Amino acid sequence: MTTFDSSAPRVVCLAGGVGGAKLADGLARVLPPSNLTVIVNTGDDFRHLGLTICPDLDTVLYTLAGVANDETGWGRAGESWRAMSEVGRLKGPDWFSLGDLDLATHLTRAHWLDAGETLTAVTSRLCEGFGIAPAVLPMSDQPAPTLIETDTGDILPFQVWFVRERWQPPVRRVILPEDVRASAAAVRALETADVVIIAPSNPFVSIDPILNVYPIRAMIEDVPRAVVAVSPIVAGRAIKGPAAKMMAEMGLEPSAAAVARTYGHLIDGFIYDCRDEGMAAEDGLALLCADTMMTGAAERERLAREVIAFAQELLA
Ligand code: FO1
């Protein structure tokens, strides 16, 4: 039974891949839909097979719609691969697997974008189609591609590094685009939010790309409210993906404390996993130890409640 209390805070959640989507799902189960806006990273987006692929938006949409493939952390549950296997047989590019159901999302998105609609408008239509009530917003309506500079000096488009190279080439640095502007909807959400939650997503390729979009970082810093982050690193490891490996390659200790340090004064509170007990607070950062592993809906909802309660304490 979902209980929406009228005193619920207005929440903006910054989210990237699977960890961000799971917390967003927990928040959607706890908050009134009009109190939740999810601002999603689009730095992973790229043109492929004539389509505009938006992996993090789709992971959030599919997770909130309850149709996500929880094993892979991307794409749809119960997928079939008839179109993709035929692309392969025709010697087309099949290194990036697009399932038949997933293709429907990319085809309708491409259709509406080609008709001149913004990515924000298209995402809103897809939310309607998937029966998703909270607002899911791309961080920008402009392309904002993340590039990866590897230790050999090669500069790779994100999906080439992440999928084709299986995120194995060591990362020297993440290159983010200049002068990308936030969508009007994202700015409006940040103007009115009581709480900003930075989801347990990769700080470097999921959260930083969002903060890099003007004026998101400044708005989070300036507008008085509570800003809390959930650690994506548990006991020195990322639950999924390259976050811990990248931290080590970029000379950072792969730990929850190091993630808190990368967010610095942007955050008022930091939630780390109890498996990292004994994390020490630094210069006034409020800490909460919680079980941050979100397998099923119940854990997602529980963590969302704990994060909101923690943020509300900071607001008081
Ligand atoms: N990741 C893979 O490792 N292999 C794939 O073939 C793949 C296909 C894919 C298709 C659609 C989509 O939305 C995501 C897909 N991903 C795949 C994951 C994607 O690279 C990541 O979700 C993000 O870019 C990083 O979070």
mmCIF file of all heavy atoms in Angstrom, residues 17 44 53 55-56 58-59 74 95-98 102 106 158-159 162-163, ligand 1:
data_model
loop_
_atom_site.group_PDB
_atom_site.id
_atom_site.type_symbol
_atom_site.label_atom_id
_atom_site.label_comp_id
_atom_site.label_asym_id
_atom_site.label_seq_id
_atom_site.Cartn_x
_atom_site.Cartn_y
_atom_site.Cartn_z
ATOM 1 N N GLY A 17 22.870 5.167 -14.209
ATOM 2 C CA GLY A 17 22.472 3.809 -14.600
ATOM 3 C C GLY A 17 21.661 3.081 -13.551
ATOM 4 O O GLY A 17 20.819 3.653 -12.874
ATOM 5 N N ASP A 44 25.785 9.294 -21.866
ATOM 6 C CA ASP A 44 26.041 7.984 -22.488
ATOM 7 C C ASP A 44 25.333 7.875 -23.834
ATOM 8 O O ASP A 44 25.486 6.870 -24.521
ATOM 9 C CB ASP A 44 25.486 6.865 -21.598
ATOM 10 C CG ASP A 44 26.140 6.820 -20.238
ATOM 11 O OD1 ASP A 44 26.978 7.700 -19.962
ATOM 12 O OD2 ASP A 44 25.808 5.918 -19.461
ATOM 13 N N ILE A 53 20.164 6.578 -29.060
ATOM 14 C CA ILE A 53 20.093 5.665 -27.910
ATOM 15 C C ILE A 53 20.352 6.458 -26.632
ATOM 16 O O ILE A 53 21.341 7.188 -26.562
ATOM 17 C CB ILE A 53 21.166 4.555 -28.039
ATOM 18 C CG1 ILE A 53 21.154 3.927 -29.439
ATOM 19 C CG2 ILE A 53 20.993 3.517 -26.940
ATOM 20 C CD1 ILE A 53 19.947 3.095 -29.776
ATOM 21 N N PRO A 55 20.729 5.356 -22.985
ATOM 22 C CA PRO A 55 20.753 4.213 -22.053
ATOM 23 C C PRO A 55 20.285 4.530 -20.647
ATOM 24 O O PRO A 55 19.480 3.795 -20.083
ATOM 25 C CB PRO A 55 22.227 3.789 -22.054
ATOM 26 C CG PRO A 55 22.754 4.255 -23.362
ATOM 27 C CD PRO A 55 22.039 5.530 -23.639
ATOM 28 N N ASP A 56 20.758 5.641 -20.060
ATOM 29 C CA ASP A 56 20.382 5.896 -18.663
ATOM 30 C C ASP A 56 18.913 6.310 -18.558
ATOM 31 O O ASP A 56 18.212 5.881 -17.633
ATOM 32 C CB ASP A 56 21.302 6.952 -18.044
ATOM 33 C CG ASP A 56 22.662 6.361 -17.684
ATOM 34 O OD1 ASP A 56 22.831 5.130 -17.791
ATOM 35 O OD2 ASP A 56 23.564 7.119 -17.278
ATOM 36 N N ASP A 58 16.590 5.214 -20.494
ATOM 37 C CA ASP A 58 15.802 3.983 -20.679
ATOM 38 C C ASP A 58 15.873 3.079 -19.460
ATOM 39 O O ASP A 58 14.880 2.460 -19.084
ATOM 40 C CB ASP A 58 16.267 3.256 -21.943
ATOM 41 C CG ASP A 58 15.913 4.057 -23.201
ATOM 42 O OD1 ASP A 58 15.105 5.000 -23.084
ATOM 43 O OD2 ASP A 58 16.456 3.742 -24.267
ATOM 44 N N THR A 59 17.032 3.041 -18.800
ATOM 45 C CA THR A 59 17.112 2.222 -17.576
ATOM 46 C C THR A 59 16.179 2.779 -16.509
ATOM 47 O O THR A 59 15.482 2.023 -15.819
ATOM 48 C CB THR A 59 18.570 2.180 -17.074
ATOM 49 O OG1 THR A 59 19.361 1.489 -18.040
ATOM 50 C CG2 THR A 59 18.687 1.473 -15.733
ATOM 51 N N TRP A 74 20.259 -3.226 -17.860
ATOM 52 C CA TRP A 74 19.836 -2.367 -18.992
ATOM 53 C C TRP A 74 18.845 -3.164 -19.831
ATOM 54 O O TRP A 74 18.743 -4.385 -19.711
ATOM 55 C CB TRP A 74 21.021 -1.931 -19.840
ATOM 56 C CG TRP A 74 21.907 -3.056 -20.286
ATOM 57 C CD1 TRP A 74 23.004 -3.532 -19.633
ATOM 58 C CD2 TRP A 74 21.749 -3.878 -21.449
ATOM 59 N NE1 TRP A 74 23.538 -4.596 -20.317
ATOM 60 C CE2 TRP A 74 22.807 -4.817 -21.451
ATOM 61 C CE3 TRP A 74 20.842 -3.897 -22.499
ATOM 62 C CZ2 TRP A 74 22.966 -5.773 -22.444
ATOM 63 C CZ3 TRP A 74 20.994 -4.854 -23.501
ATOM 64 C CH2 TRP A 74 22.044 -5.769 -23.468
ATOM 65 N N TRP A 95 27.535 -5.015 -32.134
ATOM 66 C CA TRP A 95 28.286 -4.993 -30.847
ATOM 67 C C TRP A 95 27.452 -4.383 -29.714
ATOM 68 O O TRP A 95 27.734 -4.600 -28.545
ATOM 69 C CB TRP A 95 29.599 -4.227 -30.992
ATOM 70 C CG TRP A 95 29.450 -2.806 -31.421
ATOM 71 C CD1 TRP A 95 29.355 -2.341 -32.704
ATOM 72 C CD2 TRP A 95 29.343 -1.645 -30.571
ATOM 73 N NE1 TRP A 95 29.186 -0.975 -32.704
ATOM 74 C CE2 TRP A 95 29.186 -0.525 -31.418
ATOM 75 C CE3 TRP A 95 29.370 -1.452 -29.192
ATOM 76 C CZ2 TRP A 95 29.052 0.782 -30.923
ATOM 77 C CZ3 TRP A 95 29.236 -0.169 -28.681
ATOM 78 C CH2 TRP A 95 29.075 0.936 -29.555
ATOM 79 N N PHE A 96 26.405 -3.640 -30.098
ATOM 80 C CA PHE A 96 25.558 -3.005 -29.082
ATOM 81 C C PHE A 96 24.173 -3.631 -29.234
ATOM 82 O O PHE A 96 23.480 -3.389 -30.201
ATOM 83 C CB PHE A 96 25.514 -1.492 -29.327
ATOM 84 C CG PHE A 96 24.942 -0.695 -28.194
ATOM 85 C CD1 PHE A 96 25.732 -0.328 -27.098
ATOM 86 C CD2 PHE A 96 23.612 -0.294 -28.203
ATOM 87 C CE1 PHE A 96 25.207 0.423 -26.049
ATOM 88 C CE2 PHE A 96 23.074 0.460 -27.156
ATOM 89 C CZ PHE A 96 23.875 0.818 -26.079
ATOM 90 N N SER A 97 23.811 -4.486 -28.276
ATOM 91 C CA SER A 97 22.626 -5.330 -28.449
ATOM 92 C C SER A 97 21.336 -4.581 -28.159
ATOM 93 O O SER A 97 21.123 -4.108 -27.041
ATOM 94 C CB SER A 97 22.720 -6.532 -27.502
ATOM 95 O OG SER A 97 23.943 -7.188 -27.725
ATOM 96 N N LEU A 98 20.483 -4.513 -29.169
ATOM 97 C CA LEU A 98 19.173 -3.855 -29.007
ATOM 98 C C LEU A 98 18.105 -4.920 -29.140
ATOM 99 O O LEU A 98 17.921 -5.508 -30.211
ATOM 100 C CB LEU A 98 19.008 -2.776 -30.089
ATOM 101 C CG LEU A 98 20.011 -1.606 -29.987
ATOM 102 C CD1 LEU A 98 19.945 -0.728 -31.234
ATOM 103 C CD2 LEU A 98 19.748 -0.790 -28.735
ATOM 104 N N ASP A 102 13.061 -3.312 -26.784
ATOM 105 C CA ASP A 102 13.874 -2.101 -26.583
ATOM 106 C C ASP A 102 13.862 -1.259 -27.855
ATOM 107 O O ASP A 102 13.772 -0.033 -27.819
ATOM 108 C CB ASP A 102 15.293 -2.529 -26.212
ATOM 109 C CG ASP A 102 16.148 -1.373 -25.700
ATOM 110 O OD1 ASP A 102 15.580 -0.427 -25.106
ATOM 111 O OD2 ASP A 102 17.370 -1.395 -25.917
ATOM 112 N N HIS A 106 13.461 2.952 -29.004
ATOM 113 C CA HIS A 106 14.393 3.752 -29.825
ATOM 114 C C HIS A 106 13.716 4.247 -31.102
ATOM 115 O O HIS A 106 13.940 5.370 -31.547
ATOM 116 C CB HIS A 106 15.633 2.918 -30.173
ATOM 117 C CG HIS A 106 16.283 2.327 -28.965
ATOM 118 N ND1 HIS A 106 16.725 3.088 -27.904
ATOM 119 C CD2 HIS A 106 16.526 1.042 -28.619
ATOM 120 C CE1 HIS A 106 17.223 2.293 -26.978
ATOM 121 N NE2 HIS A 106 17.120 1.054 -27.389
ATOM 122 N N PHE A 158 31.853 7.218 -25.208
ATOM 123 C CA PHE A 158 31.528 6.461 -24.004
ATOM 124 C C PHE A 158 31.141 5.006 -24.290
ATOM 125 O O PHE A 158 31.687 4.062 -23.695
ATOM 126 C CB PHE A 158 30.400 7.135 -23.209
ATOM 127 C CG PHE A 158 30.083 6.390 -21.948
ATOM 128 C CD1 PHE A 158 30.823 6.607 -20.796
ATOM 129 C CD2 PHE A 158 29.083 5.426 -21.934
ATOM 130 C CE1 PHE A 158 30.560 5.884 -19.642
ATOM 131 C CE2 PHE A 158 28.816 4.700 -20.792
ATOM 132 C CZ PHE A 158 29.564 4.932 -19.635
ATOM 133 N N GLN A 159 30.199 4.783 -25.220
ATOM 134 C CA GLN A 159 29.711 3.414 -25.426
ATOM 135 C C GLN A 159 30.780 2.513 -26.050
ATOM 136 O O GLN A 159 30.784 1.306 -25.829
ATOM 137 C CB GLN A 159 28.438 3.421 -26.291
ATOM 138 C CG GLN A 159 27.235 4.054 -25.626
ATOM 139 C CD GLN A 159 26.820 3.381 -24.330
ATOM 140 O OE1 GLN A 159 27.218 2.261 -24.038
ATOM 141 N NE2 GLN A 159 26.049 4.080 -23.502
ATOM 142 N N PHE A 162 32.652 1.626 -22.920
ATOM 143 C CA PHE A 162 31.883 0.865 -21.934
ATOM 144 C C PHE A 162 31.498 -0.516 -22.489
ATOM 145 O O PHE A 162 31.636 -1.529 -21.811
ATOM 146 C CB PHE A 162 30.609 1.641 -21.559
ATOM 147 C CG PHE A 162 29.877 1.051 -20.388
ATOM 148 C CD1 PHE A 162 30.196 1.429 -19.098
ATOM 149 C CD2 PHE A 162 28.866 0.111 -20.581
ATOM 150 C CE1 PHE A 162 29.517 0.885 -18.011
ATOM 151 C CE2 PHE A 162 28.194 -0.435 -19.504
ATOM 152 C CZ PHE A 162 28.521 -0.046 -18.219
ATOM 153 N N VAL A 163 31.031 -0.569 -23.731
ATOM 154 C CA VAL A 163 30.480 -1.824 -24.256
ATOM 155 C C VAL A 163 31.483 -2.551 -25.148
ATOM 156 O O VAL A 163 31.846 -3.694 -24.890
ATOM 157 C CB VAL A 163 29.188 -1.563 -25.056
ATOM 158 C CG1 VAL A 163 28.679 -2.860 -25.656
ATOM 159 C CG2 VAL A 163 28.145 -0.922 -24.155
HETATM 160 N N1 FO1 B 1 25.694 -2.699 -22.221
HETATM 161 C C1 FO1 B 1 26.498 -3.735 -22.603
HETATM 162 O O1 FO1 B 1 27.455 -4.051 -21.880
HETATM 163 N N2 FO1 B 1 26.269 -4.413 -23.770
HETATM 164 C C2 FO1 B 1 25.260 -4.088 -24.607
HETATM 165 O O2 FO1 B 1 25.105 -4.706 -25.664
HETATM 166 C C3 FO1 B 1 24.371 -3.031 -24.213
HETATM 167 C C4 FO1 B 1 23.271 -2.674 -25.007
HETATM 168 C C5 FO1 B 1 22.400 -1.678 -24.521
HETATM 169 C C6 FO1 B 1 21.254 -1.342 -25.236
HETATM 170 C C7 FO1 B 1 20.402 -0.369 -24.781
HETATM 171 C C8 FO1 B 1 20.691 0.300 -23.588
HETATM 172 O O3 FO1 B 1 19.846 1.249 -23.129
HETATM 173 C C9 FO1 B 1 21.833 -0.017 -22.847
HETATM 174 C C10 FO1 B 1 22.695 -1.012 -23.322
HETATM 175 N N3 FO1 B 1 23.844 -1.350 -22.598
HETATM 176 C C11 FO1 B 1 24.650 -2.359 -23.000
HETATM 177 C C12 FO1 B 1 24.187 -0.695 -21.330
HETATM 178 C C13 FO1 B 1 24.747 0.687 -21.537
HETATM 179 O O4 FO1 B 1 25.932 0.696 -22.234
HETATM 180 C C14 FO1 B 1 24.866 1.253 -20.118
HETATM 181 O O5 FO1 B 1 23.602 1.103 -19.555
HETATM 182 C C15 FO1 B 1 25.093 2.713 -19.921
HETATM 183 O O6 FO1 B 1 25.486 3.392 -20.983
HETATM 184 C C16 FO1 B 1 25.984 2.845 -18.697
HETATM 185 O O7 FO1 B 1 25.157 2.927 -17.597
#
